[in-house]
Amino acid sequence: MDNKNDFNKIGYVNRGRGIPKYPAEYKFHMDESVEFTKEHEEARRKKLSKFLAQYGLELVE
Amino acid sequence: MKLKKIFLVIFGFLTSLFSVDDFKRFLNDNMGGLILPFGDEVYFDEEWMEYKRLEIDESVKSVNPKDLPDDFCDEACRLVDEFHRKTVNEKVEWMLYFDYMTGEVIYCWKGYEDRSIGKFDEIYLVDRHVASIHSHTKDLYSFPSLDNFDILENSFEDFEIITSADAFWIIEFKGTISKISRRRFQQCLREDMYMTIESIKYWGEDGFRIRNVTENIIGNYLLNEINNEIQCINLILIKRRYG
C-alpha cells in the first residue's frame, strides 16, 4: 500500500460459499488444485484420523 | 448571506469538475456508505441506505465488547453489535469494511443467500485499520468457509468477523502471504473439512444430531488443529457466543 502504483486499484472481495447445514449438499469448490507430496497427504490424514477419533469417528475417504 | 455565497462558490467549483450525470454516477456506484447532498436532492449509495434502514432486533443477545479484539474502539464494538442485530434475521448476507480504530464504515455490500461479494477501490483503504464483518444466514453453519481465509492474502485487512444466529467468529491475521501459500492453506482446509463432514454424515444418527456435531467438530478443528502461525504471522481464530 506504500507504493503509489497500488493506488486506485480495484479489488474484489468474495466471502462466499458458507457451508449449508445438513442435509443440504455442499460442493467444496476451488478453481485449481495445488499438488502436495504423498508424505504430506499421509501425515495430514493421520492427524485428522487422530482428531476424529476423539469424537468416536473414523475417517471416511 | 455569507453562508449562501460560500455554498455557491463550492457548488460552482463542484459543477465545474463534474457534470450532473457524472456526479450522480459517482454517488450511486454502490461502493460505500457515501452520502452527499447535491442541489435540492440527496444521492446515496443504495446498499448502504438499505442497510441503514434494516431494523435492529432488540430481542437477540448482544455482542459483548470484551469478546472483541482489544484494538477495537467503542464505536467499532457498537457497530459490530448493531450489525449482528440488523442482519440476524436477513435471508441474504451483508458485509461491511470498517475502520476498527474509529468505527467508521468504509464499504457496505448486500450479498446473496450464501455469499457476500463486493468491489472496492484500494485508495479508500490506505492508512486505515480495516476489519470486515459479514453475516451467515440461518441455513449456514457459523464457522468460516474456505473463502473466508482470503484474508490471509489481503495486506490491508487485519480482522474478519463472521456473525451468525448462535455464535460469531473472529479471524485475526495482521500480514499477508502469497497467493500460492494462501491457496495451499485453503486446499488443506478443503480436504480436511470435506473428509470430516463425510465422516460425520457416515457415522451420524439423525439430522439434528449431525447438524450439532458438525458445528461442534468443524469448529473445534478450526480452533485447535490448523496452524496458528503462517510464515511467522499469527493466525488467531476465536469463536464466541452472544451475551
Side-chain angles (χ1 to χ4, degrees), chain B residues 165-182:
Chain B
D166 302 319
F168 65 98
W169 286 76
I170 303 165
I171 304 175
E172 177 181 338
F173 194 75
K174 291 180 176 175
T176 180
I177 59 173
S178 67
K179 186 175 184 176
I180 186 71
S181 300
R182 189 257 297 166

Side-chain angles (χ1 to χ4, degrees), chain B residues 32-235:
Chain B
L34 190 61
I35 309 167
L36 289 173
F38 184 72
D40 293 332
E41 297 177 78
V42 173
Y43 301 102
F44 45 77
D45 183 276
E46 289 169 11
E47 289 174 59
W48 170 245
M49 292 309 286
E50 190 178 339
Y51 172 79
K52 293 284 281 181
R53 284 194 298 266
L54 293 178
E55 273 188 37
I56 295 173
D57 187 340
E58 300 289 354
S59 70
V60 298
K61 287 183 179 172
S62 59
V63 174
N64 189 336
K66 288 179 184 166
D67 288 333
L68 293 172
D70 291 341
D71 299 342
F72 279 38
C73 70
D74 291 348
E75 189 59 24
C77 294
R78 192 199 59 75
L79 179 76
V80 170
D81 183 47
E82 188 181 88
F83 178 87
H84 168 55
R85 289 165 186 270
K86 275 176 175 279
T87 60
V88 66
N89 303 312
E90 284 289 291
K91 291 188 171 21
V92 297
E93 295 190 5
W94 284 87
M95 178 166 58
L96 305 176
Y97 267 181
F98 65 97
D99 187 320
Y100 59 84
M101 293 280 198
T102 64
E104 189 182 352
V105 174
I106 306 166
Y107 278 103
C108 173
W109 297 283
K110 183 181 182 181
Y112 304 94
E113 279 179 11
D114 64 344
R115 66 182 58 201
S116 316
I117 52 177
K119 193 171 93 170
F120 59 87
D121 189 331
E122 285 189 3
I123 199 165
Y124 296 116
L125 307 178
V126 175
D127 297 331
R128 297 282 198 161
H129 302 90
V130 178
S132 70
I133 183 166
H134 77 278
S135 55
H136 276 178
T137 57
K138 286 179 177 166
D139 294 333
L140 304 178
Y141 290 111
S142 76
F143 49 77
S145 68
L146 299 181
D147 289 346
N148 296 169
F149 288 92
D150 284 357
I151 186 178
L152 303 182
E153 197 188 332
N154 287 349
S155 57
F156 55 81
E157 189 178 353
D158 296 335
F159 296 96
E160 177 176 359
I161 299 176
I162 304 149
T163 60
S164 69
D166 302 319
F168 65 98
W169 286 76
I170 303 165
I171 304 175
E172 177 181 338
F173 194 75
K174 291 180 176 175
T176 180
I177 59 173
S178 67
K179 186 175 184 176
I180 186 71
S181 300
R182 189 257 297 166
R183 291 181 67 83
R184 283 175 70 85
F185 176 89
Q186 285 172 316
Q187 181 154 330
C188 291
L189 205 56
R190 175 182 71 164
E191 289 168 7
D192 284 1
M193 283 170 93
Y194 173 75
M195 287 192 288
T196 301
I197 286 173
E198 289 303 306
S199 301
I200 294 167
K201 274 159 63 178
Y202 187 78
W203 298 104
E205 289 160 18
D206 62 67
F208 179 76
R209 186 168 180 276
I210 288 176
R211 282 194 289 276
N212 284 326
V213 166
T214 304
E215 173 75 34
N216 188 32
I217 294 182
I218 297 277
N220 287 343
Y221 165 81
L222 290 169
L223 291 169
N224 304 315
E225 299 296 314
I226 62 173
N227 293 336
N228 54 14
E229 191 182 287
I230 304 174
Q231 296 170 13
C232 300
I233 305 166
N234 290 331
L235 171 62

Side-chain angles (χ1 to χ4, degrees), chain A residues 28 31 33 38 40-41 43 50-51 54 56:
Chain A
F28 280 86
D31 295 333
S33 293
K38 267 192 173 177
H40 183 273
E41 299 267 356
K50 202 175 160 189
F51 169 72
Q54 295 174 65

Side-chain angles (χ1 to χ4, degrees), chain B residues 14-27:
Chain B
L14 283 173
T15 48
S16 68
L17 292 176
F18 297 101
S19 72
V20 172
D21 284 343
D22 285 344
F23 200 56
K24 283 180 185 176
R25 265 200 300 279
F26 168 67
L27 294 174

